[in-house]
Coordinates of all heavy atoms in Angstrom, one line a residue:
M13 N 91.9 110.2 132.0 CA 92.9 109.5 131.4 C 92.4 108.3 130.7 O 91.5 107.7 131.1 CB 94.0 109.1 132.4 CG 94.6 110.4 133.2 SD 95.7 111.3 132.0 CE 97.3 110.7 132.4
V14 N 93.2 107.8 129.8 CA 93.0 106.5 129.1 C 94.1 105.5 129.4 O 95.2 105.9 129.7 CB 92.7 106.7 127.6 CG1 91.7 107.7 127.2 CG2 94.1 107.0 126.9
Q15 N 93.7 104.3 129.4 CA 94.7 103.2 129.7 C 95.2 102.5 128.5 O 94.3 102.1 127.6 CB 94.2 102.2 130.8 CG 95.3 101.3 131.3 CD 94.6 100.5 132.4 OE1 93.8 99.8 132.2 NE2 95.3 100.6 133.6
I16 N 96.5 102.4 128.1 CA 96.9 101.7 127.0 C 97.8 100.6 127.5 O 98.6 100.7 128.3 CB 97.8 102.7 126.1 CG1 97.0 103.8 125.6 CG2 98.4 101.9 124.9 CD1 97.7 104.8 124.9
T17 N 97.4 99.4 127.0 CA 98.0 98.2 127.5 C 98.8 97.5 126.2 O 98.2 97.3 125.2 CB 97.0 97.1 127.9 OG1 96.4 97.6 128.9 CG2 97.8 95.8 128.5
F18 N 100.2 97.3 126.4 CA 101.0 96.9 125.3 C 101.1 95.4 125.5 O 102.0 94.9 126.3 CB 102.3 97.6 125.4 CG 102.2 99.1 125.3 CD1 102.2 99.9 126.3 CD2 102.1 99.6 124.0 CE1 102.1 101.3 126.1 CE2 102.0 100.9 123.8 CZ 102.1 101.8 124.9
L19 N 100.3 94.5 124.9 CA 100.1 93.2 125.2 C 101.5 92.5 124.7 O 101.9 91.4 125.4 CB 99.0 92.6 124.4 CG 97.7 93.1 124.8 CD1 96.6 92.7 123.8 CD2 97.3 92.7 126.3
S20 N 102.1 92.8 123.7 CA 103.3 92.1 123.3 C 104.6 92.6 124.1 O 105.6 92.2 123.7 CB 103.5 92.5 121.8 OG 102.5 92.0 121.1
N21 N 104.3 93.5 125.0 CA 105.5 93.9 126.0 C 105.1 93.5 127.4 O 105.0 94.2 128.2 CB 105.6 95.3 125.9 CG 106.9 95.9 126.6 OD1 107.6 95.1 127.3 ND2 106.9 97.1 126.8
G22 N 104.6 92.2 127.5 CA 104.3 91.6 128.7 C 103.1 92.2 129.4 O 102.9 92.2 130.7
G23 N 102.3 92.8 128.6 CA 101.0 93.5 129.1 C 101.3 94.8 129.9 O 100.4 95.2 130.7
K24 N 102.4 95.5 129.6 CA 102.6 96.7 130.3 C 101.5 97.6 130.1 O 101.1 97.7 128.9 CB 104.0 97.3 129.7 CG 104.3 98.7 130.2 CD 105.7 99.1 129.8 CE 106.1 100.5 130.3 NZ 107.5 100.7 130.2
S25 N 101.1 98.3 131.1 CA 99.9 99.3 130.9 C 100.2 100.7 131.4 O 101.0 100.7 132.4 CB 98.8 98.6 131.8 OG 97.6 99.2 131.5
V26 N 99.9 101.6 130.6 CA 100.3 103.0 131.1 C 99.0 103.9 131.0 O 98.1 103.5 130.1 CB 101.3 103.6 130.1 CG1 102.6 102.7 130.2 CG2 100.9 103.7 128.7
D27 N 99.0 105.0 131.5 CA 98.0 106.0 131.4 C 98.4 107.1 130.3 O 99.6 107.4 130.2 CB 97.7 106.7 132.7 CG 97.0 105.7 133.6 OD1 96.4 104.9 133.2 OD2 97.2 106.0 134.9
A28 N 97.4 107.7 129.6 CA 97.7 108.7 128.7 C 96.6 109.7 128.6 O 95.4 109.3 129.0 CB 98.0 108.1 127.3
S29 N 96.8 110.9 128.1 CA 95.7 111.9 127.9 C 94.7 111.4 126.6 O 95.2 110.7 125.9 CB 96.2 113.2 127.6 OG 97.2 113.6 128.5
P30 N 93.5 111.7 126.9 CA 92.6 111.3 125.8 C 93.1 112.0 124.5 O 93.6 113.0 124.6 CB 91.2 112.0 126.2 CG 91.3 112.0 127.7 CD 92.8 112.4 128.0
N31 N 92.8 111.2 123.4 CA 93.2 111.7 122.1 C 94.7 111.7 121.9 O 95.3 112.6 121.1 CB 92.6 113.1 121.7 CG 91.1 112.9 121.8 OD1 90.5 111.9 121.2 ND2 90.4 113.9 122.3
S32 N 95.4 110.9 122.6 CA 96.9 110.7 122.5 C 97.2 109.9 121.2 O 96.5 109.0 120.8 CB 97.5 110.0 123.7 OG 97.4 110.8 124.8
N33 N 98.3 110.2 120.6 CA 98.8 109.4 119.4 C 99.4 108.0 120.0 O 100.3 108.2 120.9 CB 99.8 110.2 118.6 CG 100.5 109.4 117.5 OD1 101.4 108.7 117.7 ND2 99.9 109.5 116.4
L34 N 99.0 106.9 119.5 CA 99.4 105.6 120.0 C 101.0 105.5 120.0 O 101.6 105.1 121.0 CB 98.7 104.5 119.2 CG 98.9 103.1 119.8 CD1 98.7 103.0 121.3 CD2 98.1 102.1 118.9
L35 N 101.6 105.8 118.9 CA 103.0 105.7 118.8 C 103.7 106.6 119.8 O 104.8 106.1 120.3 CB 103.5 105.9 117.3 CG 105.0 105.6 117.2 CD1 105.4 104.1 117.6 CD2 105.5 106.0 115.9
R36 N 103.3 107.8 119.8 CA 104.0 108.7 120.8 C 103.9 108.3 122.2 O 104.9 108.4 123.0 CB 103.4 110.1 120.7 CG 103.8 110.9 119.4 CD 103.3 112.4 119.4 NE 103.7 113.0 118.2 CZ 105.0 113.4 117.9 NH1 105.9 113.2 118.9 NH2 105.3 113.9 116.9
V37 N 102.8 107.7 122.6 CA 102.7 107.1 124.0 C 103.6 106.0 124.2 O 104.3 105.8 125.1 CB 101.3 106.7 124.3 CG1 101.2 106.0 125.6 CG2 100.3 107.9 124.3
S38 N 103.7 105.1 123.1 CA 104.5 104.0 123.1 C 106.0 104.5 123.3 O 106.8 103.8 124.2 CB 104.4 103.2 121.8 OG 105.3 102.0 121.9
I39 N 106.5 105.4 122.6 CA 107.8 105.9 122.7 C 108.1 106.5 124.0 O 109.1 106.1 124.7 CB 108.2 106.9 121.5 CG1 108.1 106.2 120.1 CG2 109.5 107.6 121.7 CD1 108.1 107.2 119.0
R40 N 107.3 107.3 124.4 CA 107.5 107.9 125.7 C 107.5 107.1 126.9 O 108.3 107.2 127.8 CB 106.3 109.0 125.9 CG 106.5 109.9 127.1 CD 105.4 111.1 127.1 NE 104.1 110.5 127.3 CZ 103.1 110.8 126.6 NH1 103.2 111.6 125.6 NH2 101.8 110.4 126.9
E41 N 106.6 106.1 126.8 CA 106.5 105.1 127.9 C 107.2 103.8 127.8 O 107.0 102.9 128.5 CB 105.0 104.9 128.2 CG 104.1 106.1 128.5 CD 104.4 106.6 129.9 OE1 105.1 106.0 130.7 OE2 103.7 107.7 130.1
Q42 N 108.0 103.7 126.7 CA 108.7 102.5 126.3 C 107.8 101.2 126.2 O 107.9 100.2 126.8 CB 109.8 102.2 127.3 CG 110.8 103.5 127.3 CD 112.0 103.2 128.3 OE1 111.9 102.5 129.4 NE2 113.1 103.8 128.0
G43 N 106.7 101.6 125.5 CA 105.7 100.5 125.3 C 106.2 99.4 124.3 O 105.7 98.2 124.4
G44 N 107.0 99.8 123.5 CA 107.7 98.8 122.6 C 107.2 98.6 121.2 O 107.7 97.7 120.4
I45 N 106.2 99.3 120.7 CA 105.7 99.2 119.3 C 106.8 99.5 118.4 O 107.3 100.7 118.5 CB 104.4 100.0 119.2 CG1 103.3 99.7 120.1 CG2 104.0 99.9 117.6 CD1 102.0 100.6 120.0
P46 N 107.1 98.5 117.4 CA 108.2 98.9 116.5 C 107.8 100.2 115.6 O 106.8 100.3 115.2 CB 108.3 97.7 115.6 CG 107.6 96.6 116.5 CD 106.5 97.3 117.2
F47 N 108.9 101.0 115.2 CA 108.6 102.0 114.3 C 109.9 102.4 113.6 O 111.0 102.1 114.1 CB 108.0 103.2 115.1 CG 109.0 103.9 115.9 CD1 109.7 105.0 115.6 CD2 109.2 103.3 117.3 CE1 110.6 105.6 116.6 CE2 110.2 104.0 118.1 CZ 110.8 105.1 117.7
K48 N 109.7 103.2 112.5 CA 110.9 103.7 111.9 C 110.7 105.2 111.5 O 111.3 106.1 112.1 CB 111.2 103.0 110.7 CG 112.0 101.7 110.9 CD 112.6 101.1 109.6 CE 113.1 99.7 109.9 NZ 112.9 98.7 108.8
C49 N 109.7 105.4 110.7 CA 109.6 106.9 110.2 C 108.7 107.8 111.1 O 108.9 108.9 111.2 CB 108.9 106.9 108.8 SG 107.2 106.3 108.8
G50 N 107.8 107.2 111.9 CA 106.9 108.1 112.6 C 105.9 108.8 111.8 O 105.2 109.6 112.4
G51 N 105.9 108.8 110.6 CA 105.1 109.5 109.6 C 104.1 108.9 108.6 O 103.8 109.6 107.7
G52 N 103.9 107.7 108.9 CA 102.8 106.9 108.0 C 103.4 106.4 106.9 O 102.7 106.1 106.0
L53 N 104.8 106.3 106.6 CA 105.3 105.9 105.3 C 105.9 104.5 105.4 O 105.7 103.8 104.3 CB 106.5 106.9 104.9 CG 106.1 108.3 104.7 CD1 107.4 109.2 104.5 CD2 105.1 108.5 103.7
C54 N 106.5 104.1 106.4 CA 107.3 102.8 106.4 C 106.4 101.5 106.7 O 106.8 100.6 106.1 CB 108.5 102.8 107.3 SG 108.0 102.9 109.1
G55 N 105.4 101.7 107.4 CA 104.5 100.5 107.8 C 105.0 99.7 109.0 O 104.3 98.7 109.3
T56 N 106.1 100.2 109.5 CA 106.7 99.3 110.6 C 105.8 99.3 111.8 O 105.9 98.3 112.5 CB 108.2 99.9 111.0 OG1 108.9 100.1 109.8 CG2 108.9 99.1 111.9
C57 N 105.1 100.4 112.0 CA 104.3 100.5 113.3 C 103.0 99.6 113.3 O 102.1 100.0 114.1 CB 104.0 101.9 113.6 SG 103.0 102.7 112.4
R58 N 102.8 98.9 112.1 CA 101.5 98.0 112.1 C 101.3 97.4 113.4 O 102.3 96.6 113.9 CB 101.9 97.1 110.9 CG 100.8 96.0 110.8 CD 101.3 95.0 109.7 NE 100.4 93.8 109.8 CZ 99.5 93.5 108.9 NH1 99.3 94.3 107.9 NH2 98.8 92.4 109.0
C59 N 100.1 97.4 113.8 CA 99.8 96.7 115.2 C 98.3 96.4 115.2 O 97.6 96.9 114.3 CB 100.2 97.6 116.4 SG 99.3 99.2 116.3
K60 N 97.9 95.6 116.1 CA 96.6 95.0 116.2 C 95.9 95.6 117.4 O 96.4 95.3 118.5 CB 96.5 93.6 116.1 CG 95.1 93.1 116.0 CD 95.1 91.6 115.8 CE 93.7 91.1 115.5 NZ 93.6 89.6 115.5
I61 N 94.8 96.4 117.3 CA 94.0 96.7 118.4 C 93.2 95.5 118.9 O 92.2 95.3 118.3 CB 93.2 98.0 118.2 CG1 94.0 99.1 117.6 CG2 92.6 98.5 119.4 CD1 95.1 99.6 118.3
E62 N 93.7 94.9 120.0 CA 92.9 93.6 120.5 C 91.7 94.0 121.1 O 90.7 93.2 121.1 CB 93.9 92.8 121.3 CG 95.2 92.4 120.7 CD 95.1 91.2 119.7 OE1 94.0 90.6 119.6 OE2 96.1 90.8 119.2
H63 N 91.7 95.1 121.9 CA 90.5 95.6 122.5 C 90.3 97.0 122.4 O 91.4 97.7 122.5 CB 90.5 95.2 124.0 CG 90.7 93.8 124.3 ND1 89.7 92.8 124.2 CD2 91.8 92.9 124.7 CE1 90.0 91.6 124.5 NE2 91.3 91.7 124.8
G64 N 89.2 97.5 122.2 CA 89.1 99.0 122.2 C 89.1 99.7 120.9 O 89.3 100.9 120.8
I65 N 88.9 98.9 119.8 CA 89.1 99.5 118.5 C 88.2 100.7 118.4 O 88.3 101.6 117.6 CB 88.9 98.5 117.4 CG1 89.1 99.0 116.0 CG2 87.3 97.9 117.4 CD1 90.7 99.2 115.8
E66 N 87.0 100.6 119.0 CA 86.0 101.7 119.1 C 86.5 103.0 119.7 O 85.9 104.0 119.5 CB 84.7 101.2 119.7 CG 84.7 101.1 121.2 CD 85.1 99.7 121.7 OE1 85.9 99.0 120.8 OE2 85.0 99.3 122.8
H67 N 87.6 102.9 120.4 CA 88.2 104.1 120.9 C 89.4 104.6 120.1 O 90.1 105.4 120.6 CB 88.8 103.7 122.3 CG 87.7 103.3 123.3 ND1 87.9 102.3 124.3 CD2 86.5 103.7 123.5 CE1 86.8 102.2 125.0 NE2 85.8 103.0 124.5
T68 N 89.4 104.2 118.9 CA 90.4 104.8 117.9 C 89.7 105.6 116.8 O 88.6 105.5 116.6 CB 91.3 103.6 117.3 OG1 90.4 102.9 116.5 CG2 92.0 102.8 118.2
D69 N 90.5 106.6 116.5 CA 89.9 107.5 115.4 C 89.9 106.9 114.0 O 90.2 105.8 113.7 CB 90.8 108.8 115.4 CG 92.2 108.7 115.0 OD1 92.7 107.5 115.0 OD2 92.7 109.7 114.4
T70 N 89.5 107.7 113.1 CA 89.2 107.2 111.7 C 90.5 106.8 111.0 O 91.6 107.4 111.2 CB 88.6 108.4 110.9 OG1 87.6 109.0 111.6 CG2 88.1 108.0 109.5
V71 N 90.4 105.8 110.3 CA 91.5 105.2 109.6 C 92.0 106.3 108.5 O 91.2 106.8 107.7 CB 91.2 103.9 108.8 CG1 92.4 103.4 108.0 CG2 90.8 102.9 109.8
K72 N 93.3 106.5 108.4 CA 93.9 107.5 107.4 C 94.2 106.9 106.1 O 94.5 105.7 106.1 CB 95.1 108.2 108.0 CG 95.0 108.5 109.5 CD 94.1 109.6 109.8 CE 94.1 110.0 111.2 NZ 94.0 109.0 112.2
M73 N 94.3 107.7 105.1 CA 94.8 107.3 103.7 C 96.1 106.6 103.9 O 96.3 105.5 103.1 CB 94.7 108.4 102.8 CG 93.5 108.8 102.2 SD 92.3 107.5 101.7 CE 93.4 107.0 100.2
K74 N 96.9 107.0 104.7 CA 98.3 106.5 104.6 C 98.3 105.1 105.2 O 99.1 104.3 104.8 CB 99.1 107.3 105.7 CG 99.8 108.6 105.1 CD 100.6 109.5 106.0 CE 101.1 110.7 105.4 NZ 101.8 111.5 106.5
E75 N 97.3 104.8 106.1 CA 97.2 103.5 106.6 C 96.7 102.4 105.5 O 97.1 101.4 105.5 CB 96.3 103.5 107.9 CG 96.8 104.4 109.0 CD 95.8 104.1 110.2 OE1 95.9 103.2 110.9 OE2 94.9 105.1 110.3
R76 N 95.7 103.0 104.7 CA 95.3 102.2 103.7 C 96.3 101.7 102.7 O 96.1 100.7 101.9 CB 94.1 102.8 103.0 CG 92.9 103.0 103.9 CD 91.7 103.6 103.2 NE 90.7 103.9 104.1 CZ 89.8 103.0 104.6 NH1 89.8 101.8 104.2 NH2 88.8 103.4 105.4
R77 N 97.3 102.3 102.6 CA 98.5 102.0 101.7 C 99.2 100.6 102.3 O 99.8 99.9 101.5 CB 99.6 103.0 101.6 CG 99.0 104.2 100.7 CD 100.1 105.0 100.1 NE 99.5 106.3 99.8 CZ 99.8 107.5 100.4 NH1 100.7 107.4 101.4 NH2 99.2 108.5 100.1
H78 N 99.0 100.5 103.6 CA 99.8 99.3 104.2 C 98.8 98.2 104.7 O 99.3 97.2 105.0 CB 100.6 99.8 105.3 CG 101.7 100.7 104.9 ND1 103.0 100.3 104.5 CD2 101.8 102.0 104.9 CE1 103.8 101.2 104.1 NE2 103.0 102.4 104.4
L79 N 97.6 98.6 104.9 CA 96.6 97.6 105.5 C 95.5 97.4 104.5 O 94.9 98.3 104.0 CB 96.1 98.3 106.8 CG 97.0 98.7 107.9 CD1 96.3 99.4 109.0 CD2 97.7 97.4 108.5
S80 N 95.2 96.1 104.4 CA 94.0 95.6 103.6 C 92.8 95.9 104.2 O 92.6 96.1 105.5 CB 94.2 94.3 103.1 OG 94.1 93.4 104.3
E81 N 91.6 95.8 103.5 CA 90.3 95.8 104.2 C 90.2 94.9 105.2 O 89.6 95.0 106.4 CB 89.2 95.7 103.2 CG 88.8 96.9 102.3 CD 88.4 98.1 103.3 OE1 87.8 97.8 104.2 OE2 88.8 99.2 102.9
E82 N 90.7 93.6 104.9 CA 90.6 92.5 105.9 C 91.5 92.8 107.1 O 91.0 92.6 108.2 CB 91.2 91.2 105.4 CG 90.8 90.0 106.2 CD 91.4 88.7 105.6 OE1 91.6 88.7 104.3 OE2 91.5 87.8 106.3
D83 N 92.7 93.4 107.0 CA 93.5 93.8 108.1 C 92.7 94.8 109.1 O 92.6 94.7 110.2 CB 94.7 94.7 107.7 CG 95.8 93.7 106.9 OD1 95.8 92.5 107.2 OD2 96.5 94.3 106.1
L84 N 92.1 95.8 108.3 CA 91.3 96.7 109.1 C 90.1 96.2 109.8 O 89.9 96.6 110.9 CB 90.8 97.9 108.1 CG 91.8 98.6 107.5 CD1 91.3 99.7 106.4 CD2 92.6 99.6 108.6
R85 N 89.4 95.2 109.2 CA 88.3 94.5 109.9 C 88.9 93.8 111.1 O 88.1 93.6 112.1 CB 87.7 93.6 108.9 CG 86.5 94.0 108.2 CD 85.7 93.0 107.5 NE 86.3 92.1 106.7 CZ 86.6 92.3 105.5 NH1 86.2 93.4 104.9 NH2 87.2 91.5 104.7
E86 N 90.0 93.3 111.0 CA 90.6 92.5 112.2 C 91.2 93.4 113.2 O 91.6 92.9 114.3 CB 91.7 91.6 111.6 CG 91.1 90.4 110.9 CD 92.2 89.5 110.3 OE1 93.4 89.8 110.5 OE2 91.9 88.5 109.6
G87 N 91.2 94.7 113.1 CA 91.7 95.6 114.1 C 93.0 96.2 113.9 O 93.7 96.7 114.8
Y88 N 93.6 95.9 112.8 CA 95.0 96.4 112.5 C 94.9 97.9 112.3 O 94.0 98.3 111.5 CB 95.7 95.7 111.3 CG 96.2 94.3 111.7 CD1 95.4 93.2 111.5 CD2 97.5 94.1 112.3 CE1 95.8 92.0 111.9 CE2 97.8 92.8 112.7 CZ 97.0 91.7 112.5 OH 97.5 90.5 112.8
R89 N 95.9 98.5 112.8 CA 96.2 100.0 112.6 C 97.6 100.2 112.4 O 98.5 99.4 112.7 CB 95.5 100.9 113.7 CG 94.1 100.8 114.0 CD 93.3 101.5 112.9 NE 93.7 102.8 112.6 CZ 93.0 104.0 113.0 NH1 91.8 103.8 113.7 NH2 93.4 105.1 112.6
M90 N 98.0 101.5 112.1 CA 99.4 101.9 112.2 C 99.6 102.9 113.3 O 98.8 103.8 113.3 CB 99.8 102.5 110.8 CG 100.0 101.4 109.8 SD 100.0 102.0 108.1 CE 101.3 103.3 108.1
A91 N 100.3 102.4 114.3 CA 100.4 103.2 115.5 C 100.6 104.7 115.3 O 100.1 105.6 116.1 CB 101.2 102.6 116.5
C92 N 101.4 105.1 114.4 CA 101.9 106.5 114.2 C 100.7 107.3 113.7 O 100.8 108.6 113.8 CB 103.1 106.7 113.4 SG 102.9 106.4 111.7
Q93 N 99.7 106.7 113.2 CA 98.6 107.3 112.5 C 97.3 107.2 113.3 O 96.3 107.7 113.0 CB 98.3 106.8 111.2 CG 99.4 106.9 110.3 CD 100.0 108.3 110.0 OE1 99.0 109.2 109.6 NE2 101.1 108.7 110.3
T94 N 97.4 106.7 114.7 CA 96.2 106.3 115.3 C 96.2 107.1 116.7 O 97.2 107.1 117.4 CB 96.3 104.7 115.7 OG1 96.1 104.0 114.4 CG2 95.1 104.4 116.5
F95 N 95.0 107.8 116.9 CA 94.8 108.5 118.1 C 93.7 107.7 119.0 O 92.7 107.1 118.4 CB 94.3 109.8 117.8 CG 95.5 110.7 117.2 CD1 95.8 110.6 115.9 CD2 96.1 111.7 118.0 CE1 96.7 111.3 115.4 CE2 97.1 112.3 117.4 CZ 97.5 112.2 116.1
V96 N 93.9 107.8 120.3 CA 92.9 106.9 121.1 C 92.3 107.7 122.1 O 92.8 108.7 122.7 CB 93.8 105.8 122.0 CG1 94.3 104.8 121.0 CG2 94.8 106.3 122.8
S97 N 91.0 107.6 122.1 CA 90.1 108.3 123.0 C 89.6 107.6 124.2 O 88.8 108.0 125.0 CB 88.9 108.9 122.2 OG 88.3 107.7 121.7
G98 N 90.0 106.2 124.3 CA 89.5 105.4 125.5 C 90.5 104.3 125.7 O 91.5 104.2 124.9
D99 N 90.1 103.4 126.5 CA 91.2 102.3 126.8 C 91.3 101.3 125.6 O 90.4 101.1 124.9 CB 90.7 101.5 128.0 CG 90.6 102.3 129.3 OD1 91.0 103.4 129.2 OD2 90.2 101.7 130.3
V100 N 92.6 101.0 125.3 CA 92.9 100.1 124.3 C 94.0 99.1 124.6 O 94.8 99.3 125.6 CB 93.4 100.7 123.0 CG1 92.3 101.6 122.3 CG2 94.7 101.5 123.1
S101 N 93.9 98.0 124.0 CA 95.1 96.8 124.2 C 95.6 96.6 122.9 O 94.8 96.5 121.9 CB 94.5 95.5 124.8 OG 94.0 95.7 126.1
V102 N 96.9 96.6 122.8 CA 97.5 96.5 121.4 C 98.6 95.3 121.4 O 99.3 95.3 122.4 CB 98.1 97.9 120.9 CG1 99.0 98.4 122.0 CG2 98.7 98.0 119.6
S103 N 98.6 94.8 120.3 CA 99.8 93.7 120.2 C 100.4 94.0 118.7 O 99.9 94.7 117.9 CB 99.1 92.3 120.2 OG 98.3 92.1 119.1
W104 N 101.5 93.5 118.5 CA 102.3 93.6 117.3 C 103.1 92.3 116.9 O 103.3 91.5 117.7 CB 103.0 94.8 117.3 CG 104.1 95.0 118.3 CD1 105.4 94.4 118.4 CD2 103.8 95.4 119.7 NE1 105.9 94.7 119.5 CE2 105.0 95.3 120.5 CE3 102.8 96.0 120.4 CZ2 105.1 95.7 121.8 CZ3 102.9 96.4 121.7 CH2 104.0 96.3 122.3
Ligands
FES201 S1 106.4 104.4 111.9 FE1 106.5 104.4 109.8 S2 104.4 104.2 109.2 FE2 104.3 104.4 111.3

């Protein structure tokens, strides 16, 4: 299992299966990451991986429409497009 910590939700921490979609876990466990479309279009699920960015998968083209190179360097991702393979902490 991997541990996902929702820093902007009082540090709520939940377990998930490896390669889980970050937004799906957030919805299921009431993690609190904001979202609208769930499909990479609206940009609402923009969030920052504060720890464990190395445990996230490759940045998708859909994310690049909403996130600059600098955003990506700082650890921003779009939760609905991000899968996690290890422990991460996320804020938004
Ligand atoms: S929820 Fe709309 S882009 Fe992720």
Side-chain angles (χ1 to χ4, degrees):
M13 297 296 264
V14 304
Q15 191 172 59
I16 299 176
T17 303
F18 299 96
L19 295 170
S20 302
N21 185 5
K24 177 173 179 161
S25 196
V26 304
D27 290 330
S29 305
N31 301 314
S32 290
N33 176 273
L34 183 54
L35 183 61
R36 284 190 180 281
V37 175
S38 176
I39 293 170
R40 190 173 64 229
E41 304 283 355
Q42 300 182 328
I45 299 175
F47 69 99
K48 281 188 188 146
C49 72
L53 299 175
C54 70
T56 309
C57 64
R58 172 191 167 99
C59 58
K60 186 174 186 183
I61 310 298
E62 302 277 3
H63 301 286
I65 190 75
E66 69 274 22
H67 297 145
T68 60
D69 67 336
T70 312
V71 175
K72 315 298 183 309
M73 283 308 295
K74 283 179 178 173
E75 297 182 84
R76 292 186 185 277
R77 292 203 199 105
H78 295 279
L79 301 173
S80 68
E81 279 302 324
E82 188 178 346
D83 290 335
L84 293 169
R85 267 198 304 279
E86 289 176 0
Y88 284 93
R89 294 291 306 255
M90 283 160 57
C92 71
Q93 301 300 306
T94 301
F95 291 77
V96 299
S97 58
D99 297 355
V100 296
S101 301
V102 56
S103 66
W104 56 90

